[in-house]
Amino acid sequence: DAKTTQPPSMDCAEGRAANLPCNHSTISGNEYVYWYRQIHSQGPQYIIHGLKNNETNEMASLIITEDRKSSTLILPHATLRDTAVYYCIVTLNQAGTALIFGKGTTLSVSS
Amino acid sequence: DVKVTQSSRYLVKRTGEKVFLECVQDMDHENMFWYRQDPGLGLRLIYFSYDVKMKEKGDIPEGYSVSREKKERFSLILESASTNQTSMYLCASSSRSLVFNSPLHFGNGTRLTVT
């Protein structure tokens, strides 16, 4: 699986968009990009995933660059409850494959 | 909603004890996983299972074993607990869907302290 690079921490004001970057320059053509988050004292929670196209769901949007070497997770209107560690993961197109988690980005949302 | 339940939220055990961590999922998922999480190290995969009675080693299997006798239950066993196994243990499950890349669903973890 390809390796990812994320900033260790980011800050965001409540109500503003939070844009979390992820570099995955060695991603291969059939690898997906996944995002999870972990709120303190809870297990990780799935957010979104994508292959080539941008994706949106009720939680977030995922923007993947055309060369697929980087992506950005966007929380359109961050709230205090979005304070968490966010993990970007790339993995082969195999359903249910064990995911390799890095250290993630700690997002702090403040009022 | 998928529910992954870990039997204990907190456990305190003594060095040398045999420890069982239990995990049950209610969505008929084929895949189940055990991770440990330590400060500064992220999540590390210990073992996973694609089916009943099947198991695969993850990145850090030493000192651990697993058991999957029923589809819904995946147990992590510390044969002889040591202080370096003090950690947060997370169980997860996913569907082996052939169409979609099924995400992982996690339990809320068991914080194990070995003294």
Side-chain angles (χ1 to χ4, degrees):
Chain A
D1 287 350
K3 193 171 180 181
T4 61
T5 304
Q6 298 177 253
S9 63
M10 293 184 65
D11 295 317
C12 181
E14 191 176 22
R16 305 297 292 266
N19 297 287
L20 291 89
C22 180
N23 286 323
H24 31 79
S25 58
T26 60
I27 192 170
S28 63
N30 59 354
E31 287 184 309
Y32 280 70
V33 180
Y34 278 78
W35 283 84
Y36 285 76
R37 73 179 182 183
Q38 187 173 21
I39 296 170
H40 184 62
S41 298
Q42 297 182 20
Q45 175 190 26
Y46 166 78
I47 302 173
I48 198 167
H49 73 277
L51 182 63
K52 295 180 184 177
N53 300 321
N54 299 336
E55 302 286 345
T56 296
N57 63 20
E58 65 278 4
M59 289 182 68
S61 295
L62 174 61
I63 308 298
I64 302 173
T65 58
E66 195 168 340
D67 63 7
R68 301 204 333 117
K69 292 186 177 182
S70 66
S71 60
T72 301
L73 178 75
I74 301 172
L75 308 178
H77 305 287
T79 71
L80 299 178
R81 287 176 292 182
D82 291 323
T83 293
V85 179
Y86 287 78
Y87 297 97
C88 167
I89 303 156
V90 294
T91 189
L92 293 172
N93 182 14
Q94 293 178 7
T97 300
L99 302 180
I100 308 301
F101 285 74
K103 297 181 183 179
T105 295
T106 299
L107 175 67
S108 299
V109 181
S110 57
S111 56
Chain B
D1 271 356
V2 175
K3 188 148 188 190
V4 179
T5 303
Q6 295 184 231
S7 55
S8 304
R9 194 85 163 102
Y10 300 94
L11 272 180
V12 179
K13 297 291 181 180
R14 294 195 180 276
T15 302
E17 276 194 80
K18 190 169 186 176
V19 182
F20 293 86
L21 302 183
E22 306 288 345
C23 175
V24 177
Q25 50 93 4
D26 65 359
M27 281 299 290
D28 203 35
H29 282 172
E30 292 84 0
N31 308 319
M32 296 189 75
F33 309 84
W34 276 106
Y35 291 84
R36 63 177 284 177
Q37 184 173 31
D38 302 287
L41 296 177
L43 277 77
R44 293 180 291 167
L45 181 63
I46 305 172
Y47 267 97
F48 58 103
S49 168
Y50 286 138
D51 205 344
V52 175
K53 296 195 185 295
M54 295 184 68
K55 60 184 179 183
E56 297 286 342
K57 292 180 180 179
D59 296 322
I60 51 164
E62 296 78 18
Y64 303 94
S65 63
V66 289
S67 172
R68 186 135 182 235
E69 295 297 319
K70 293 185 178 181
K71 191 175 185 180
E72 67 271 19
R73 186 180 297 270
F74 193 34
S75 302
L76 180 69
I77 303 156
L78 287 66
E79 296 289 343
S80 178
S82 64
T83 55
N84 62 14
Q85 293 178 310
T86 291
S87 187
M88 169 70 85
Y89 289 88
L90 289 158
C91 175
S93 72
S94 71
S95 170
R96 192 169 58 229
S97 167
L98 295 177
V99 177
F100 302 106
N101 278 282
S102 176
L104 293 180
H105 298 270
F106 284 84
N108 276 333
T110 295
R111 187 167 293 281
L112 173 67
T113 302
V114 183
T115 62

